[in-house]
Structures are given as C-alpha cells and as structure tokens.
Amino acid sequence: MTDTAETLPETMADASDGANQLRQIPAGVWCAAPIGLLLLAGFLAPLIMVVLFSFMPRGTFSPFGVPTLENYVDIFTQKFYISFGWSLFLALISTAILMVVSYPLAVAIRRAAPRRALVLTILIVAPLFVAENIRLQGWVLFLDKAGVLDGSVKALTGFEIGSLVTNVPAIVFGIVYVYLPFMLFPMIMGLANVPPDVKEAASDLGASRWQMFRDIELPLAAPGLLIGGLLCFVISLGAFSEAKFLGKGVVVTIAQDIESAFTFGQNWPRGSALSALVIILAGAAVYLAMRRLDLEKMLGRAS
Amino acid sequence: MKRSKFNGYAMNRRSVLQGLGAGFTAALASGSLKTAHAATGGSYAIDLWEKTKAELSGGSFRMDLNLHSWEGYTEEPVLAPFQADTGATVNPQMLISDPAAVNNLRSGGTATWDVINLNNAWQRKLLYPEGLILPLDTAKFQPLYDMNVAGFEFPYNWAMDESGEKILGMIQRYGPSGMAVNTDAMSAETLTKGGYMEMIEGAAGEYAILDYENWVIMHACMAAGFSPFRPHTDDEMAKYEEVIFKIFNNAKKVSDDQASLARDMITGEVMGTFPGSVYSVSAPRFEGETQIACVVPEEGIEETKTADNPMGQSGIIWIEVTSLVANPDPTPLAEAFLVYCHTPEASYRVAARAPGTLNPVVQMGDPGILEKFGSDELEAMQWDELDTLVGRCIDFDINPDYDAMHDLYTEAKRSRG
C-alpha cells in the first residue's frame, strides 16, 4: 500500500488533510452551526455593541471611542432608580398576579376534553395575532372617560364612572392581559409532569385536596411555573406600551427611559448603559431561577 | 425679502392677509384674488412636473426612492400618484424625531436615503456643512418659491445655506405652536392673555402634556421667559429646571398620542395640552370639534420685544424643509419627487391628506392651490387666524443646551412617579 501523501502532489495532500479534519467534526456541531451563527449575529453581536456603547462618552455614535464610566455615574445621580424601581415593581406584581390567574386556567385546560382544550387554547392564543399596541389602544377606548364602559354605564344608569386609565393598576392590568399566554403555556407544560395516578394514590391514602396541591401538584409542576414566571418577569421588566398607553405618564418605566435616550435624547451611550443594567438585572433573575431548575428532568430525559 | 429671526415674519404676512379679511373666501370663489407671483409659480410647477416626467421616461436609473420624512409625505394619497406617473417604488419611513434622523444620516444613513424631510435649521446648520445633503438646482427650483405665502419667498432663510447662495431644500408644511385648549373649558382669550402660566399654574391638574420631548423643552423655555435657541446662563438653567418640574408635577397626564389627547379635551378629561399646535388640533377641528384650538399667548418673552412688535413673541413656528440626501448612488427620482410635491394636487394632499393632522403649506399663497381647500379644511387649520398665531412665534432652531435640558426633562418626568 502506498502512502497517499507520497504519491499525490503537495496541494492535493493538503486538501485531503483538510477534508479529513472537517469529517472529524461531529455531526452535532454541523447541525448546531446555523442556529449558532444566527445567535452570534442576532444576539451576541448586538449585546456586545450595547456594552461597548455604554462606555462611550455622550454624543458618540461609534462604539470605538475612548471609554468612560460617565453614563453609569449619570444613571446613579439622575434618579433613574425611580424608573428601575417602577419596572421591578410592575414586573414582580404582574408576575405574581399572572401566576394566580393562570394556574386555575391551566388546570382547567389540562383536565378538559381534547376538543374543549383546543377551543380554550385557540381563544387564548387568538389575541396574539393582533398587535399589542392595537389591543392596548382598544382597552384605552374601553376604559377611558366617555369610552365604551363609561358611556354604556352612563346610558344605562345615568352614573358616570369616569376614566379608569392613567393609574398604576391599569398598567398592571395591561401587562397581565398581554403576557397571560406566556405564563399559561409553560404552566400547562409543568402540569403535564403531574401523573394523574399519583394524585389518585394520594387521594386513596386520605390526602386532602390542599395536601395534594401542596405536596404533589405544586412540586411536580414547579418547573413549568418557574419558567412561566421567569419569562413573564423578564419581558414585564422591559414593558413599555402598557405604561405608555394605559398609564399615560403616571409613572415612567426603564424601557421608556431607554427609548427616550435613543430617540429624542440622542444619547446612545446612556441608552446603552441603561439597557446593559436591565440585561444584568434580567440575567441575574434567569441565573437564580435556573439554579433551581433541572431542565433534563423537565424535558423528561432524566435517567 | 429677508426675515429677521424674531419678528420679520409677522409684519410681512400680516400686511398681506390683513387686507383679505372676511371676504377672502368670497374673493376666491369669484376668482378675483391674485397674488403677485402666484400664477407664475403654480403654472411653472405644473410645467416643470410635465417636463420632469418626460425626462424620466427616457432614462435608465435606480427606480426605488427611499424617503425619510414626517408623515405628510409618507402616505398613499401623496405617494400613489407619484409612483403611478414615474413607475418608481417609494419606500417611505416616518421620522421619530429630527435629531434621530440627523444622527441616522451621520451614522451612514446617506447610503440608504434619497430624500429627507425635517424641520428647519438642521439643513443649513448641520446637514449641509457636514456634506449630508446636496444643494438644489437654483434655476429650476427658485421659481417654485413664487407660489409661497408672504414671508416665505425666495431666498427663504432656513432653506438656504449660510452664504445665501444655495438652496438646500424646498419648504412646504408649517405651523405655529403654543398650547391647545378646549375653549368650552377655558376661553382662548383667557389663555391668550394669561400666557403659559395660566395653564401650568391656573389649570394645575387639569391639563395634559403633549409629550414630543424636544417641543416640551422648547416651550418650557418660552414659559420660563427666554428663547431656547441660544446659549443659556446658569440662572436661566435654574429657571428652566423650576418650570419643567412644575409643568410635569401639575400635569394630569402625559402622552405623545395627540389623537388620544384631543379626545381627552373633547370629553373634558383635560382642558388643554402643553404644548399644542395647529398640527395637534387640526384633525378634531376637521371633525367638527372646533372648540379645540391652538392658542399662542399674546405677550412674548422680553428678548423678542421690539419697537415694531412691543408684545414680543411667545410661540414657536416650525417649517419642514425637504432636501436631497448626498446618497453615493443617487437617483433622479429624488429631485423629481421635490418637483412633484409642488404641483397643486400634491401640495393639497401634503397639507390635507396626512394621517391625523392637517397643516397649512406655504404654497397656499397660490390661488390655484388655495382653492383646492374646502372651508372645513381651512377652518381645521385655523386659517383665518393663522397670520396672528404665526406672528406671535419665533422660528424653530437648534437648542445649544438641549442635552442638559433633556436630562432635566427626563428627571422631571420621572419625578411624577
């Protein structure tokens, strides 16, 4: 047998080596390459740009200037903590309400006959096909002074409700309304991890409904609850339209501050610094939650 | 004729329109009204557009036109006829704010856009000096200025470069800005005589902020008693801080949705908005809600008071300038679009067919264009009193202390929560 490298010209031998090296790359890497490249270009690159910009001086429109900490200093001296505080509060309270509201609905959908469950799912998903801003504007027209609700009540009873928007509860309502599906579907997935025979066994052994909920259903469904809660918390943290349309300036969220910095403020570095802080906040929440989750178990691959 | 920064406009426009008075519409109907250059300008625009179309039909060039503009030019009623006549595909993108558009061009947007439409001042002070827009062919475009209402004739200051020799763009939509009010809740006269503080302090908790951020800042300066368009002393900055916090603390609500605020004024939810302009009230007025009106205070800031105009000026007038972007891959469609916008029908559509707002255009100085407007449209634009309102305004310009003022603005806004 003759060694190929001895008989082939040098360039062809190099090519052969290269092809061999490519063949040694596992198939999984090839399969993951498209999504890897997409994430690199669509997720990591913008993130790096945001971080770079956050260290640029005001009035800079390139991320490669002399770095400075002035944006972060400004954020701490110009009372941006108010916006962060409101965003955190709105995200926490909305997530808590979403959990309470979604749980019974998730249980009902799990227990419903397949056809009825499908109808319920379609009814919940359908609003997602309409743009968020349009749905929120619809609520404004419904809840505002002389709106559908106020007008109808006045016509029927002569009593004026007045405007039900321009307040914090209206903002929370908007967030809960918009993000309900994001809590509900992970919750349904979590409840799928609760085998009916386990609950039957507990019932046969004399467990009360509360004990079954607390000791069996909740721990087994916890991964779904946590994922739903995490998802809702993170996207509520960046909520913008709800405060804008339903709040009408009663509070300013951090997302509104970021938008203002990038548009009318034309202060890209400050907008980037605020964005970086929100990303850190959301990242910390994800990190803490993921420490409590066993994804393998959730996906049913635990040994 | 050259306009002085603060009071040139008032005298010119007022002197022309005062003579027209209540018989204006009747004169129009009888066809007896003529202005010195109007017929020339209007006819010239039509001839030029026909010639331009003929030139385009024989050429080979990029057929897409990328337009970055305020809403007057981005909608189907304006764009469809142009596309039909030229075969072009127009890609419009509406502006978010003037500074955002300027920085878009600065950060490489010249490779994207062919035409840019912004409020005045940016063109001669930033865009042209930085090579981001191109001057127009004076011989071709100067005669189009003959259509304009008095005060906007060639050479119009904000459409020219600093030397006054090159045309940097074409002017069209304009309007005065002060406050908006439901005159059933507070009379226009009360607000006109009382000034900004009549709303900020006198109607605390009853007004809304129309949150176009730079306009809130500019009007806060006017309410504080000085022009926003020059460097400010420490005392003036302190006064601005006091006023901007007061404006936000006393407001009932804050929104950048002028339609929603117009509804709030109609329902009595708020009595008015700060700021407010013909731009923001014309749509409800067109719907018959003529109790909603733009008001510009009678007495202006001290620095605008002169012997000729002892009351000074308190409002701000904006005028949009449409320019050719210095695109490295230019298309003649860009220049053609500017010509097209001056035809009578296009001028009318730019003024009256934008979504959610009607605004006067300077080409309404041409009787052929003015007669296209119905009385309800003129009423919506407060045409009868426009001269008075505009006369109480200083020209929109660049605020050299905008960054510091914007910081205080955002802080005041956050302080509401």
Side-chain angles (χ1 to χ4, degrees), chain A residues 157-169:
Chain A
T157 67
F159 176 71
E160 280 188 51
I161 298 173
S163 175
L164 295 179
V165 295
T166 321
N167 54 56
V168 173

Side-chain angles (χ1 to χ4, degrees), chain A residues 78 83 249 260 264 266 270, chain B residues 103 213 254 402 407 414 416:
Chain A
Q78 290 185 17
S83 312
S260 174
F264 283 98
Q266 280 304 293
R270 180 178 297 166
Chain B
N103 287 322
E213 302 184 8
V254 181
Y402 182 74
D407 282 356
R414 281 191 295 278
R416 284 171 57 81

Side-chain angles (χ1 to χ4, degrees), chain A residues 52-58 60 62-71 269:
Chain A
L52 284 175
F53 259 117
S54 76
F55 291 104
M56 292 298 109
R58 186 174 199 151
T60 308
S62 159
F64 305 114
V66 181
T68 171
L69 286 172
E70 71 177 50
N71 301 305

Side-chain angles (χ1 to χ4, degrees), chain A residues 8-249:
Chain A
L8 292 174
E10 196 173 328
T11 48
M12 290 183 70
D14 286 349
S16 174
D17 285 348
N20 284 335
Q21 282 171 0
L22 283 177
R23 271 196 290 273
Q24 284 167 9
I25 296 173
V29 174
W30 286 113
C31 292
I35 188 68
L37 287 172
L38 190 69
L39 286 174
L40 208 65
F43 178 72
L44 199 61
L47 209 62
I48 291 169
M49 288 293 279
V50 164
V51 173
L52 284 175
F53 259 117
S54 76
F55 291 104
M56 292 298 109
R58 186 174 199 151
T60 308
F61 296 95
S62 159
F64 305 114
V66 181
T68 171
L69 286 172
E70 71 177 50
N71 301 305
Y72 292 96
V73 173
D74 285 350
I75 287 168
F76 286 101
T77 55
Q78 290 185 17
K79 297 182 182 171
F80 280 95
Y81 61 83
I82 298 174
S83 312
F84 274 105
W86 275 114
S87 287
L88 265 174
F89 170 76
L90 290 170
L92 285 170
I93 191 99
S94 303
T95 305
I97 293 172
L98 275 165
M99 280 186 167
V100 173
V101 170
S102 300
Y103 197 85
L105 190 55
V107 171
I109 290 175
R110 280 291 303 163
R111 288 181 184 172
R115 187 179 291 271
R116 179 173 285 188
L118 182 68
V119 171
L120 283 171
T121 306
I122 289 171
L123 285 174
I124 291 160
V125 170
L128 293 177
F129 292 104
V130 180
E132 181 186 332
N133 287 357
I134 293 173
R135 284 184 285 150
L136 290 171
Q137 286 284 28
W139 277 113
V140 173
L141 291 173
F142 186 79
L143 297 170
D144 214 346
K145 183 174 182 177
V148 176
L149 183 64
D150 185 37
S152 303
V153 170
K154 189 179 174 187
L156 292 172
T157 67
F159 176 71
E160 280 188 51
I161 298 173
S163 175
L164 295 179
V165 295
T166 321
N167 54 56
V168 173
I171 302 173
V172 174
F173 167 78
I175 295 174
V176 168
Y177 161 72
V178 168
Y179 298 132
L180 181 76
F182 296 91
M183 177 65 84
L184 184 66
F185 292 112
M187 216 171 235
I188 293 172
M189 191 180 72
L191 285 169
N193 289 337
V194 185
D197 49 356
V198 176
K199 288 173 71 179
E200 276 176 33
S203 178
D204 291 347
L205 291 170
S208 65
R209 292 172 76 93
W210 168 247
Q211 282 174 316
M212 282 198 294
F213 170 74
R214 187 192 62 193
D215 298 331
I216 296 172
E217 201 168 275
L218 210 54
L220 289 173
L225 258 88
L226 265 173
I227 286 202
L230 191 64
L231 199 60
C232 289
F233 175 79
V234 169
I235 51 182
S236 301
L237 198 60
F240 172 85
S241 304
E242 294 79 9
K244 182 175 174 176
F245 294 128
L246 293 166
K248 295 193 175 184

Side-chain angles (χ1 to χ4, degrees), chain B residues 44-45 48-49 51-53 55-56 61-62 64-67 82 86 88 113-116 134-142 144 167 169-170 322-325 327 329-343:
Chain B
Y44 176 78
L48 183 60
W49 176 231
K51 189 178 162 199
T52 303
K53 281 195 290 184
E55 286 170 1
L56 289 175
F61 45 83
R62 178 160 61 85
D64 61 307
L65 178 71
N66 300 314
L67 171 67
F82 177 76
T86 61
W113 305 111
D114 298 301
V115 173
I116 184 125
L134 302 170
L136 302 179
D137 178 347
T138 305
K140 184 184 284 186
F141 284 94
Q142 181 182 335
L144 292 170
I167 306 178
M170 298 305 288
T322 311
S323 303
L324 302 179
V325 175
N327 191 313
D329 177 24
T331 170
L333 289 169
E335 193 184 75
F337 184 73
L338 262 58
V339 174
Y340 158 77
C341 287
H342 287 75
T343 59

Side-chain angles (χ1 to χ4, degrees), chain B residues 27 30 52 64 84 97 107 149 175 194 206 214 216 224 233 239 243 245 250 253 256-257 260 290 327-328 371 373:
Chain B
S30 68
T52 303
D64 61 307
S97 74
S107 56
V149 294
E206 296 175 51
N214 52 343
V216 177
T233 64
K239 180 69 179 166
V243 170
F245 271 80
N250 289 356
K253 56 176 69 176
D256 62 0
D257 183 348
S260 166
T290 50
N327 191 313
E371 71 185 4
F373 292 83

